[in-house]
Amino acid sequence: MNEQLDSQGRLRHLVTLDGLSGDLLTGLMDRAKAYLLAPGKPGPGDGALNGLTVCQLFFEASTRTKISFELAARRQGADVVNLVIPTSSAAKGETVLDTLLTIQSMAVDIFVVRHKAAGLMSNIVAQLGDRASLINAGEGQLSHPTQGLLDVFTIRQHNKNFKNLSIAITGDIRHSRVARSTYQALLALGVDDLRLIAPENLLPESNELTHGRRYTNFDAGIADCDVVMMLRLQKERMQSGDIPDLDSYRKQYCLTPQRLKLARGNAIVMHPGPINRGIEMDSEIADGRQSVVRQQVGNGVAIRMAVLAAIADGKKS
Ligand code: ASP
């Protein structure tokens, strides 16, 4: 989606990672690194958003993404406002586009939006034009670009080179916007050995994520992996017939200490959160030596500081 970039190839909006170059993603990671005090420990920022206003609209539930965008924007010097959706005029039937354009009239520079409707973000960008920027903070099961960025950023902190990594994405891939965005980033950065592990009905459709090798057998899929990325069962996006029996899901797909031994000894374990403990992974793993789940959260602030700063560059020049 080229509307994301301005005529000089700089980020104007961030709607999807699909089509962004490995160089652009690397530039954002390098910038995020400069905002960290240590891996997973975001620092104070550099005022890149001084004088700008950010408005957050979360039409779906959020803990990590919402708080980390707000902290990132504030630490970069922005003025931040949040629309509380249930008590807004959305409750009177105002459309998302009307809501955004109304708020934009109050001189908002950057919108951070999460919504369940796939395809909405491109429509918003078309309506906003040059008047304001949009950052997608989660769009249905389609994309979650800043999560994809923070995932590859975290992987890079543990591995020098993407090319030779073996990465397993496992769990409810079909309904996961995180899986799609992280997959797109990994491909752009040159990862060859990508494995998708899930029960048949939670694997993506056959014409999607086609580069990944598909496994329904968890143990075969994670053998000798460098990165094991677990995903939440997204019941809110499933048809009732898709919801697996939790006991049998646990038996076949829960990451246990015994299963993790099949991956490389120094493999890292990731999860975008929130975790269903005991279903997707045991607590022993979630809180264990190989888990980088909390590091991902801290890195998320730095990545969002970098994305906001990159967008602010274009506005200030
Ligand atoms: N927090 C992530 C998302 O919003 C992952 C999840 O909800 O499972 O997509």
Side-chain angles (χ1 to χ4, degrees), residues 114 144 177-178 232 234 272-274:
R114 169 172 287 191
H144 192 350
R177 53 192 173 207
V178 175
R232 181 175 66 89
Q234 320 235 336

Side-chain angles (χ1 to χ4, degrees), residues 23 39 50 80 84 121 160 172 177 212 214 232 236 257 285:
D23 283 351
N50 281 342
V80 183
V84 182
M121 301 293 167
K160 284 210 168 57
D172 181 7
R177 53 192 173 207
R214 292 160 186 247
R232 181 175 66 89
E236 73 274 25
I285 300 291

